[in-house]
Amino acid sequence: MFVIAFLLTILLKLLGLPHLISKVDLVMWTKNGAKTLPAVLKRINEVIPSQFVNKRLIVDDQSTDNTREIAVANGWQVIFNRGKGISDGANTALEQVETEYFASFEQDLLLSKDWWPKIASYLEHSEVGAASGMRFADQPRGVRKLQQYVARKYRGEANLASWLRTRQKAAFTLGSTLDNTIYKTSVVRLVGGFPKIRVNAGVDTTLAYRLSQAGYGWIVDYNVQSVHLRAGLKHELSHQYWYGTQVHEIWRRIELETHQSPPISKFGIIYRFIISPFTGLFVAYKMREPTIAIIHPLVRFCYLMGYLEA
């Protein structure tokens, strides 16, 4: 048995696959995801070799379209969310996990083709509790370029702006999302599962803090880039407005979990909107994408309006 395991490890290394010999459970939470789900599930089935998959589980939140039928047709088991929203859906899924490692995805994420061989291998390190890649919007181009700038900025790339290299606190959870992530099951359960939050945002951010406090890292590979399926600029602006309405609850959870102030202050949100016409021009020049000069102030405006409403 030892010889077989050793030879299999060598074969996986030669093929560029992770050394995780044990199987993983794949989980996803859905609600009316019929528009994107066929492509999303097809890609997951293509990217992750079936021999590594124990089961594919979707936790559905009372969808009124044919989300569940699409899931079953693609080989996924469907159960209902025992509560409501992402937090409850994630914990409902966690209860069903049987494997040492499990991976979570969301219904609008088109997985990068190199995700499995690159991301799963990070879990070989004892100090790592979770690992994921980045994801950027598929459209419009200006939104995607803006998101790519933000990712590069918080990595401290000096050619963007030298003063940005010190933003480690704000960059701590960049890329720590639930939509393309693999975890050590025992570690997630050790920290109490997925944080129970009243809104559908901040679960990933709070989990990143919990893992850190327990002594585990969340690795983000910025070079593994999945696609966030969006319906255009209007969709993105609506999402920014919605996220702004969630900020108060996210801040409350960060303070509760860490006894520290959030990385962005209330004044910071207003200040970023005020200077957004200038930063928009700056980013447009750096990324060679003129539309960012308009998109960036619009994004800041919608975020601010959501925040003020909440």
Side-chain angles (χ1 to χ4, degrees), residues 122-257:
Y122 287 112
L123 272 295
E124 296 171 3
H125 304 286
S126 60
E127 71 278 9
V128 176
S132 56
M134 292 295 294
R135 81 283 196 275
F136 302 106
D138 60 332
Q139 60 172 324
R141 173 185 166 87
V143 170
R144 181 172 69 254
K145 289 290 187 179
L146 178 60
Q147 291 175 348
Q148 290 172 342
Y149 172 85
V150 171
R152 291 172 57 193
K153 176 181 72 173
Y154 284 111
R155 292 174 68 185
E157 293 191 16
N159 65 325
L160 296 178
S162 59
W163 65 85
L164 299 173
R165 284 176 290 178
T166 60
R167 294 191 174 184
Q168 294 181 355
K169 186 177 181 181
F172 171 65
T173 59
L174 179 67
S176 300
T177 63
L178 305 183
D179 53 20
N180 74 117
T181 302
I182 185 166
Y183 318 79
K184 287 177 180 170
T185 307
S186 60
V187 171
V188 176
R189 287 175 173 160
L190 174 68
V191 299
F194 292 93
K196 295 180 180 180
I197 298 181
R198 293 177 294 183
V199 297
N200 278 327
V203 178
D204 42 18
T205 299
T206 308
L207 179 61
Y209 279 108
R210 282 189 180 181
L211 291 176
S212 178
Q213 289 184 320
Y216 293 93
W218 185 326
I219 301 297
V220 178
D221 190 329
Y222 292 90
N223 296 314
V224 178
Q225 301 182 0
S226 297
V227 177
H228 204 183
L229 299 173
R230 314 303 275 174
L233 180 58
K234 184 178 180 180
H235 184 192
E236 182 63 28
L237 295 178
S238 175
H239 181 75
Q240 290 294 328
Y241 177 86
W242 166 81
Y243 199 83
T245 65
Q246 315 294 292
V247 169
H248 285 286
E249 176 64 14
I250 296 172
W251 282 351
R252 188 185 74 84
R253 289 309 301 242
I254 291 176
E255 292 174 339
L256 181 65
E257 296 280 341

Side-chain angles (χ1 to χ4, degrees), residues 40-71:
V40 168
L41 297 184
K42 182 175 183 292
R43 176 63 65 84
I44 292 174
N45 291 343
E46 292 171 350
V47 170
I48 304 178
S50 59
Q51 64 265 32
F52 290 102
V53 179
N54 179 52
K55 64 181 177 183
R56 300 173 176 87
L57 177 68
I58 276 182
V59 178
D60 189 63
D61 203 349
Q62 304 297 328
S63 292
T64 55
D65 60 11
N66 62 332
T67 290
R68 293 188 292 277
E69 291 76 8
I70 293 172

Side-chain angles (χ1 to χ4, degrees), residues 72-94:
V72 172
N74 282 273
W76 289 64
Q77 176 190 354
V78 178
I79 64 173
F80 286 104
N81 189 348
R82 294 185 180 179
K84 184 177 181 181
I86 292 175
S87 181
D88 288 334
N91 282 301
T92 299
L94 181 60

